[in-house]
Amino acid sequence: MAALGSGLGISSLFTYNIGLFVPDLSQEIGLTRGQFGMAFFAATIAMAVALPVVGKIVDRHGARRPTVIGSTMLVVGFLFLGSVTQSVLSYFVLTAALGLFAVGSAPISYMRAVSVTFDRARGLALGLTQMGIGVSAALVPPVIAAVIAGSGWRWGYYALAGFAALGLVPALIGLRGRSAMPVPSGPEGPPLLSLPLFRHQLAAFVVMALAFAGFLPHFVPMLRDAGLSSSQAAAFAALIGIFVILSRIAIGWLADHVHAPWVAGAVCLLAAGGCLALLFGGAPLAPVAAAAFGCAMGAEADLVGFLTSRYFGTAVFGRAYALQYAGFMLAAGASPAWIGLLFDRTGSYAAALIVTSGLLGIAAILFVLMPRYQLSERPKDGDILSVQEEGSLP
C-alpha cells in the first residue's frame, strides 16, 4: 500500500508527467520552455515551503488526514489545470498552487509509517516504498501521452486526476493503525536546524542533488550533441529509469547491512564515474553513465528517509524528513539551471561534467564523515536514536 500511495502522489504524477503537456500548451497558450521551467521551479519551491508544515502535522496528528487532504488537492489541481488554464499566467499560478496544496500526497506519510513499522529491514522496506514512484514513472506517462494524442491535453490532465483519485485508496485503507498515528514524544528539544549532525546530513544531500540531478533533463540533449539519434538517446534515457527501479531495492537492502553513509558515498563516486565516462568516452559509454545516474537517483530518496530515521528517530521523523527532502528538492530544482547556464557560456557540457564530478566527490566526503548510528535497535516511543555526535537530539 505504501508503494502504491507513493506512486500515485505528487512526486510521481506531477514530476514525471508535467512535461508531456508542453508542446500542446506552447501552441494553445504560447508557453515557452523558459516559462515552463520557471513554473516547475515555482511548484518545487512551494512544495519545499509546505513540506515542513506537513511533516509537523504528521508527527503531531498522524499520517492519514494530511495524506487524504493532499491527495484530494492533487485531484482538484489536475482538474483545474485541465479546465481553467487559459493563459501562461493561469498556468503558472495553478502549477504553483498544486505544489503548495497537494504536497500532503508526497511520500512523507508513507515513509514515516514504514519507518515506524519496520526496524531491522527498514532500508529494504523504504526502498520498496520508493519503488512505487519508479514504477509509476514508467507506466503512467505512456498512458497520459496516448490520452493527449487521442483526446487533447485537457483530457490528459483529467486522466491524471483519475490516477490521483486512486491515490486516495492507499491513504484511506493503508494508513490506519499504529503506523499512521502520531508517535508519543517528550520535550521537543532544540530545533533540528540547530543540530550539527542535522546540518551535516542536509549539506551532504544538497550538494549531491545540486551536482547530479540537473543532468537528468540534460541527458538526452547531451547525447544528441554527441551524435546519437533521438531514438538512441531516448533508449539510453529509459535505461536511467530501469536502474532507478532496481537501485531502490538494492540500496535499501545494502543500507540494512552496511553503514548507510558509506553506501551514499559510494553512490556519489559511482555517479562521478558516470560523468567522467561521458567526458572522456562520449556516446559509447552512455550506458555506463545512464546506469550510474539511475543508481544515484534511486538512492537519494531511500537514503534520506533511512538516515533520518536512524539518526533522529521516529518521534520527529515527519519534520526531519520534510526539511531534509525540501533541501534536496530545492537543490535538484536549481541544478538544471546552472548546468544550462554553463553550457551556454562554454558551448559544451564538458565543464559541467567536470564541476559535477567535483561536487559529487565533496558529497561523498561529507557522507563518509557522518558518525555511526545504532543499526537495529528499535527505540522506545518518543526516544531519539543516539549517535556519536555532540549536539544531537537527547
Side-chain angles (χ1 to χ4, degrees), residues 181-207:
M181 299 302 292
V183 177
S185 61
E188 288 193 0
L192 289 166
L193 286 173
S194 71
L195 305 179
L197 176 58
F198 189 87
R199 295 197 302 269
H200 187 148
Q201 180 179 314
L202 179 62
F205 280 112
V206 165
V207 174

Side-chain angles (χ1 to χ4, degrees), residues 91-294:
Y91 174 79
F92 190 95
V93 171
L94 289 171
T95 303
L98 183 73
L100 182 65
F101 294 108
V103 72
S105 66
I108 179 171
S109 294
Y110 298 103
M111 297 287 282
R112 177 189 172 279
V114 169
S115 295
V116 171
T117 303
F118 294 89
D119 183 31
R120 292 185 180 274
R122 184 179 295 171
L124 179 58
L126 290 173
L128 290 171
T129 299
Q130 288 290 335
M131 193 177 70
I133 296 178
V135 173
S136 175
L139 298 181
V140 175
V143 176
I144 301 302
V147 172
I148 293 173
S151 303
W153 63 270
R154 294 188 186 275
W155 279 101
Y157 281 122
Y158 298 152
L160 279 177
F163 280 110
L166 292 176
L168 286 166
V169 176
L172 291 169
I173 297 177
L175 291 176
R176 296 188 299 181
R178 179 180 178 275
S179 65
M181 299 302 292
V183 177
S185 61
E188 288 193 0
L192 289 166
L193 286 173
S194 71
L195 305 179
L197 176 58
F198 189 87
R199 295 197 302 269
H200 187 148
Q201 180 179 314
L202 179 62
F205 280 112
V206 165
V207 174
M208 179 184 183
L210 192 63
F212 88 90
F215 269 112
L216 299 177
H218 284 282
F219 191 67
V220 170
M222 189 189 314
L223 296 184
R224 293 297 306 277
D225 291 346
L228 296 184
S229 66
S230 178
S231 59
Q232 289 173 320
F236 288 132
L239 192 61
I240 294 178
I242 294 173
F243 275 90
V244 166
I245 296 174
L246 295 176
S247 65
R248 299 285 193 198
I249 302 174
I251 297 298
W253 182 86
L254 279 173
D256 288 327
H257 296 83
V258 181
H259 187 48
W262 297 350
V263 177
V267 168
C268 289
L269 294 179
L270 179 64
C275 292
L276 295 177
L278 278 177
L279 178 64
F280 295 109
L285 293 182
V288 176
F293 289 153

Side-chain angles (χ1 to χ4, degrees), residues 343-362:
F343 175 86
D344 291 340
R345 292 275 185 131
T346 62
S348 75
Y349 285 106
L353 287 167
I354 294 172
V355 173
T356 296
S357 300
L359 289 174
L360 285 168
I362 294 173

